[in-house]
Amino acid sequence: MQQKIIILDFGSQTTQLIGRRVRELDTFCEILPYNKFPKDDPTVIGVILSGSPYSVHDPEAFKVDLSQFVGRLPVLGICYGAQFISHTLGGKVEKADSREYGRAHLQTVDTTNPLFKGFEPNSQVWMSHGDTITSIPNDFEVIGSTKDVKNAAFWCAPDTKLSTLNSQLSTGIWAVQFHPEVFHTIQGTQLLKNFVVDICGSKQEWSAASFVDTTVAELKGQLGQDRVILGLSGGVDSSVAAVLLNEAIGDRLTCIFVDHGMLRKNEFTQVMEDYKVLGLNVIGVDASEKFFGDLAGITDPEQKRKIIGRDFVEVFNAEAKKITDAKWLAQGTIYPDRIESLNITGKVIKSHHNVGGLPKEMNLQLCEPLKWLFKDEVRRVGRQLGMPEHLITRHPFPGPGLAVRILGDITPEKVRILQDADDIYIRGLREYKVKLSGEEARKVLAAGVPAQMEDGEIEVSLYDQIWQAGTVLLSTVRSVGVMGDERTYEHPVALRAVTSTDAMTADWAHLPYDFMAKVSNEIINKVRGVNRVCYDISSKPPATIEWE
């Protein structure tokens, strides 16, 4: 049986990051709502309680019955999780005089405790809370303090008779008020490894190779001799799903790739060639004329999305119906899609096109081979399957394509302008190399970018440092310019590049000035219709990654 860590989600934006860090330790984990602990699952080896946007004193604060697992399984509380443990078991949590946010250092740390094995003196951690634990419960002991936070880390040892639960602990309880999952906590991975591997006893058997072997076997059993249809987008998720299914059922998989006319420059042709090399059975459909016709004169962003979504389903279904013996529809749904779509706070930021069931008229069963994977794991699986690197590292791209990167109505000429400008930008990001060390290098390597460390440095492209980049055409705006001796009156474009771990939050990327100057100059000189280039320095929140 496959071991697993259960992460109970109390609504923190970094809960997915905890999951990714556990998976990086070659250990399977599942993120569940705070009130959905699986009581009778013998594969669970430990429990992590996440942070939360709430205070433990809020009337609507999320609460869990700790007796379900405390004492029976090792438990680690993080931030709110730590405060909830203290508050519930007899400690005291009070509003801090000032919000404890940012870098701090463990001035005292008990390195004899299994949670802090291998920790360096004065190790940097990251705080983010408005409440603080002013006293810990009876039977607990402080094992880490910062200058301002006495109870930064505490634990209750195994075999303790815990008076508040009236039970004998067979395993320990650990709690930290800082966030070990974020990069700013320098030895956060060490702490999580200590908990997951040493304390919980993970055998570290979860890997891309084991996932491929297990999933291919499961798909063969699930699908038998049935035929499967898969809609391809050119993105990493659907591409990896296609190659994985191809390994399992071969030519009984039929892929459909719809070109709505708003892909990146030459993308339809290039991606079709990639799929051919991979040996996939792909039907390419050029439906751009239909999409452009239906979008004519439409400027409202939501209306654009609805038209493109409707047309895509119509075109896809028309092709799918030609495959009369198909019984399954496969999708590239990944784990964050499902977590975000079932957000426990009820505040879903965006809807996902591939979550929530199938059109009834298709009469097909759903197959989602990547539904347990995070994005970086999808990429590792792609490498395990021998896919080309440019497909694996491709940035996320919106389903409606460039239509939501053109402000105003959509025309073939506007798409041509944006494709040309975007092509220069993306090629430039791929070609510009930078050397990284320290925390910056750790971030890139942890995201799964293949790079070799030499003398403490790695060399990667700007493209590989960035979560998502793209160009926006402000087609409703014209700006004055001068080219040669002539006055121009053309459109500005805005360049966008963000760094992120899960797209829930994102920071604008600090691109080098010499790169920005070169790309701006090349776009203005080579793209007919553009005479000004801007750079978007908005983070999410409050701005979204896309402009529409």
Side-chain angles (χ1 to χ4, degrees), residues 365-439:
Q365 298 177 76
L366 184 62
C367 175
E368 296 175 305
L370 306 181
K371 65 182 180 181
W372 288 111
L373 299 186
F374 290 99
K375 178 73 78 173
D376 48 339
E377 292 177 310
V378 174
R379 292 189 168 116
R380 291 190 187 100
V381 168
R383 293 186 182 100
Q384 183 69 29
L385 291 166
M387 293 173 61
E389 195 65 27
H390 67 268
L391 265 183
I392 293 168
T393 58
R394 184 179 186 265
H395 288 176
F397 189 64
L402 299 179
V404 292
R405 293 181 180 174
I406 295 174
L407 304 192
D409 65 327
I410 310 298
T411 67
E413 173 61 10
K414 289 179 181 179
V415 171
R416 191 275 309 164
I417 292 172
L418 185 52
Q419 284 177 333
D420 287 349
D422 186 71
D423 184 58
I424 291 170
Y425 181 37
I426 298 300
R427 279 192 295 104
L429 289 169
R430 289 188 181 277
E431 292 168 1
Y432 193 102
K433 307 291 184 183
V434 292
K435 290 188 175 181
L436 304 175
S437 61
E439 190 171 317

Side-chain angles (χ1 to χ4, degrees), residues 453-466:
M453 180 81 74
E454 292 184 14
D455 299 324
E457 287 187 330
I458 60 172
E459 185 177 72
V460 294
S461 69
L462 286 177
Y463 187 89
D464 285 338
Q465 280 186 271
I466 291 166

Side-chain angles (χ1 to χ4, degrees), residues 7-27:
I7 300 167
L8 293 182
D9 181 12
F10 290 86
S12 170
Q13 288 192 328
T14 61
T15 302
Q16 286 191 36
L17 195 50
I18 301 171
R20 289 183 59 205
R21 296 289 170 261
V22 173
R23 296 279 184 91
E24 286 165 11
L25 296 169
D26 301 324
T27 304

Side-chain angles (χ1 to χ4, degrees), residues 234-402:
V236 62
D237 299 338
S238 65
S239 299
V240 171
V243 175
L244 197 58
L245 280 159
N246 193 50
E247 288 273 317
I249 62 171
D251 61 7
R252 293 197 304 283
L253 170 69
T254 301
C255 303
I256 300 172
F257 184 24
V258 177
D259 180 10
H260 50 36
M262 287 152 286
L263 299 172
R264 284 184 157 134
K265 187 174 183 178
N266 301 324
E267 187 170 29
F268 183 69
T269 303
Q270 291 168 355
V271 171
M272 284 295 290
E273 185 59 34
D274 283 333
Y275 289 151
K276 182 179 178 182
V277 170
L278 289 169
L280 298 178
N281 176 23
V282 184
I283 298 170
V285 184
D286 181 358
S288 53
E289 189 173 329
K290 171 179 175 58
F291 281 87
F292 280 124
D294 289 348
L295 286 168
I298 303 298
T299 59
D300 179 71
E302 193 59 27
Q303 201 173 350
K304 286 186 206 174
R305 287 179 178 273
K306 286 180 178 176
I307 290 169
I308 292 169
R310 180 201 68 201
D311 284 4
F312 179 86
V313 170
E314 288 179 7
V315 173
F316 183 85
N317 285 355
E319 288 299 322
K321 285 176 182 175
K322 297 175 185 176
I323 307 165
T324 55
D325 57 343
K327 294 185 179 179
W328 297 83
L329 175 69
Q331 293 183 337
T333 311
I334 65 174
Y335 198 32
D337 292 340
R338 299 193 297 130
I339 297 168
E340 186 175 334
S341 297
L342 299 172
N343 190 308
I344 63 167
T345 64
K347 299 172 183 176
V348 177
I349 294 172
K350 60 180 177 180
S351 57
H352 292 271
H353 69 278
N354 56 352
V355 174
L358 302 171
K360 290 181 181 178
E361 67 272 14
M362 292 194 74
N363 197 29
L364 297 173
Q365 298 177 76
L366 184 62
C367 175
E368 296 175 305
L370 306 181
K371 65 182 180 181
W372 288 111
L373 299 186
F374 290 99
K375 178 73 78 173
D376 48 339
E377 292 177 310
V378 174
R379 292 189 168 116
R380 291 190 187 100
V381 168
R383 293 186 182 100
Q384 183 69 29
L385 291 166
M387 293 173 61
E389 195 65 27
H390 67 268
L391 265 183
I392 293 168
T393 58
R394 184 179 186 265
H395 288 176
F397 189 64
L402 299 179

